Amino acid sequence: MYENPEASLTPEEFIPRLETKEFGRAYHYLPEVTSTNALARSMADKGGTAGTLVVAETQTGGRGRLGRNWVSPPGGIWLSLVLRPPLAPSRAPLQTLLAAVALREALLKGAGLACSLKWPNDVLCGRKKVAGILTEMKSAGENLEYLVAGVGVNANFPGNLLPKPLREKAGTLLDLLGRPVDRPGLLADFLEIWEGYYTRALQRGYDQVLEAWRQGSGTLGKKIRIHTTRGPVTGRALDIHAEGGLIVETGPGILETFLAGEVTILEK
Ligand code: BT5
């Protein structure tokens, strides 16, 4: 059994590191939970404030998009943050990009890893996915009541704890670095950078997020296949749209914007 030698994410070890104003200030740490997103949503339903953070050491029913499963052994960073941005529900995908940009920056700062972003919600190091984001929301008509941003980072566990079929595509920070990362420090940095992007986006709009996403992207410029509800479509990923969709040239001079879907990159 792999023993984890580094600091834990208990409030005692984490809170002294936190320098945010709101993000993570209501901190709920659990050794085990079904899904931090499910718990954060129920807290938000009961009035949980913006910035409420749920972190678990392990999840027994971690969720990906579209009902998929997220494998969450101990040693990862499994978190969900409650947000209440003044944003039309149709623009909620921007919050996924915003969290991805902040996580990429935190990984560079805290672990020295230059990762790339894969639309819409993946963080890759090399060709392996080390983190994923699941943004869920509750809206009341034209208004967003709350949004729960769930982030899973494969931090301090070896990749062989993941099921075999996942190992080719999934990586962990421990395997990449050959040593554990400082999880409380990385989480505190991430929240600080995330809050910075979030606050600026609310004040001045999302241009800075889109620009940082373009710079960190490993998707733009590539030939891709996008799996959508109407089947697979092939083309070249050209740009990110102002509301977070992916603009793809699907034929000579034909540009289509996709708001959701699963992307496979077809070239190196
Ligand atoms: C995601 O979904 O990438 C979103 C993952 C969000 C997880 C966090 S953990 C904290 C919070 N609470 C939750 O319950 N969820 C969030 P998607 O793009 O659908 O990718 C899911 C797919 O990634 C699965 O179908 C697997 O193929 C693969 N996968 C599962 N576990 C993985 C892992 N630990 N690392 C890399 N890939 C994984």
Side-chain angles (χ1 to χ4, degrees):
M1 178 67 192
Y2 172 73
E3 295 278 340
N4 190 350
E6 48 89 45
S8 77
L9 293 169
T10 56
E12 293 72 27
E13 302 210 51
F14 170 64
I15 295 296
R17 313 286 292 272
L18 191 63
E19 291 186 18
T20 55
K21 217 168 134 223
E22 262 191 340
F23 283 25
R25 286 292 160 196
Y27 185 64
H28 303 268
Y29 171 79
L30 300 104
E32 182 180 299
V33 73
T34 310
S35 153
T36 55
N37 259 42
L39 183 56
R41 287 184 70 156
S42 75
M43 287 178 174
D45 280 329
K46 291 180 197 119
T49 53
T52 297
L53 182 68
V54 178
V55 170
E57 190 60 44
T58 178
Q59 300 184 108
T60 53
R63 306 204 294 233
R65 293 175 301 152
L66 308 166
R68 287 187 286 234
N69 184 30
W70 185 259
V71 185
S72 319
I77 303 175
W78 319 123
L79 73 91
S80 297
L81 183 70
V82 176
L83 293 171
R84 297 184 183 275
L87 196 68
S90 63
R91 304 192 79 209
L94 287 167
Q95 290 292 329
T96 303
L97 303 188
L98 193 152
V101 158
L103 180 57
R104 179 176 178 275
E105 221 169 286
L107 288 169
L108 190 61
K109 183 178 175 200
L113 285 170
C115 302
S116 66
L117 304 177
K118 180 169 162 256
W119 188 86
N121 68 321
D122 291 352
V123 179
L124 309 187
C125 285
R127 295 180 69 77
K128 294 199 164 184
K129 175 164 171 172
V130 297
I133 300 169
L134 171 68
T135 307
E136 297 182 296
M137 63 175 167
K138 184 170 177 191
S139 47
E142 287 303 292
N143 296 314
L144 195 64
E145 190 181 320
Y146 65 75
L147 187 143
V148 168
V151 183
V153 185
N154 297 338
N156 292 343
F157 61 87
N160 63 18
L161 288 192
L162 295 171
K164 249 201 178 126
L166 280 187
R167 289 183 209 162
E168 204 182 308
K169 285 189 172 172
T172 77
L173 302 185
L174 179 73
D175 287 347
L176 284 162
L177 296 167
R179 59 176 163 78
V181 288
D182 166 20
R183 281 190 304 165
L186 180 62
L187 179 56
D189 281 349
F190 174 36
L191 291 168
E192 201 183 328
I193 296 168
W194 191 355
E195 187 175 77
Y197 272 105
Y198 182 83
T199 309
R200 288 190 298 274
L202 294 198
Q203 286 164 353
R204 301 180 222 148
Y206 286 77
D207 284 357
Q208 192 199 20
V209 172
L210 296 173
E211 199 40 47
W213 198 91
R214 287 184 187 105
Q215 281 181 20
S217 157
T219 306
L220 299 183
K222 301 270 170 63
K223 199 167 174 214
I224 60 157
R225 181 175 303 120
I226 179 160
H227 300 266
T228 68
T229 43
R230 64 176 164 98
V233 182
T234 305
R236 190 165 297 277
L238 286 191
D239 201 2
I240 200 88
H241 175 264
E243 303 216 321
L246 186 66
I247 304 173
V248 183
E249 185 176 29
T250 54
I254 303 171
L255 302 188
E256 290 186 67
T257 300
F258 297 91
L259 299 176
E262 185 72 32
V263 167
T264 307
I265 294 174
L266 298 176
E267 60 186 344
K268 287 189 182 151

